[in-house]
Amino acid sequence: MQVVKYTFQQHGDERGQLVALEELKDIPFEIKRVYYMYDTQEGVRRGYHAHRNLEQILVCIHGSCKILLDNGTERKKVFLEKPYEGLYVPSDMWREMYDFSDDAVLLVLASACYNEEDYIRDYQEFVDYVRKKKK
Ligand code: T46
């Protein structure tokens, strides 16, 4: 399983840094939604689901956190701590987010609007779903 991480261009000068993200240029899809999580409490693990039809880029724009990715057969752990790095999370990928630092802000750019019906929240259902699709 290949983990795809983007390193965004940093526009730095004596004033500091700036990162600009444009759809279909820096981000490989049209951005339909942006959300972010912060004030995540110690020991909290979020996610525990996959999406049937959703691409996302996760950017930890402040602090750090870890992401577990699972495609139904393989698992990979990714550490996010750089505001200029984005983790690509495709459809059919189980994800869990954990080990958030106190100051973590996790920004997510998504290819579709919020749709609860797109979520697979049961792990066994997810595994069965991806196996069936592969056949
Ligand atoms: C994902 C990971 C990385 C909305 O109303 N609109 C939204 O766009 C989102 C994302 C959430 N919500 C509501 C639904 C829940 O009542 O916000 C609440 C928390 O959402 P959820 O428990 O799904 O959050 P996470 O952190 O488990 O998962 C989120 C995304 O839902 C998910 O798509 O890939 O972040």
Side-chain angles (χ1 to χ4, degrees), residues 96-118:
E96 294 169 20
M97 302 85 79
Y98 61 105
D99 277 1
F100 287 86
S101 61
D102 284 350
D103 56 350
V105 181
L106 181 62
L107 175 81
V108 183
L109 309 174
S111 66
C113 294
Y114 181 68
N115 175 12
E116 182 56 38
E117 286 174 13
D118 189 62

Side-chain angles (χ1 to χ4, degrees), residues 31-84:
I31 301 165
K32 293 277 170 54
R33 179 167 51 118
V34 176
Y35 61 91
Y36 46 93
M37 54 199 82
Y38 57 95
D39 273 356
T40 308
Q41 300 301 300
E42 204 185 331
V44 160
R45 208 169 167 103
R46 308 187 61 122
Y48 292 103
H49 59 255
H51 285 278
R52 292 181 175 83
N53 194 9
L54 183 72
E55 295 175 273
Q56 299 193 115
I57 295 273
L58 276 56
V59 188
C60 197
I61 55 172
H62 197 258
S64 64
C65 66
K66 291 178 188 153
I67 315 291
L68 170 86
L69 295 179
D70 180 334
N71 66 3
T73 46
E74 245 188 290
R75 299 189 141 202
K76 287 263 166 79
K77 290 174 186 168
V78 184
F79 185 51
L80 290 181
E81 58 162 346
K82 297 191 170 88
Y84 55 85

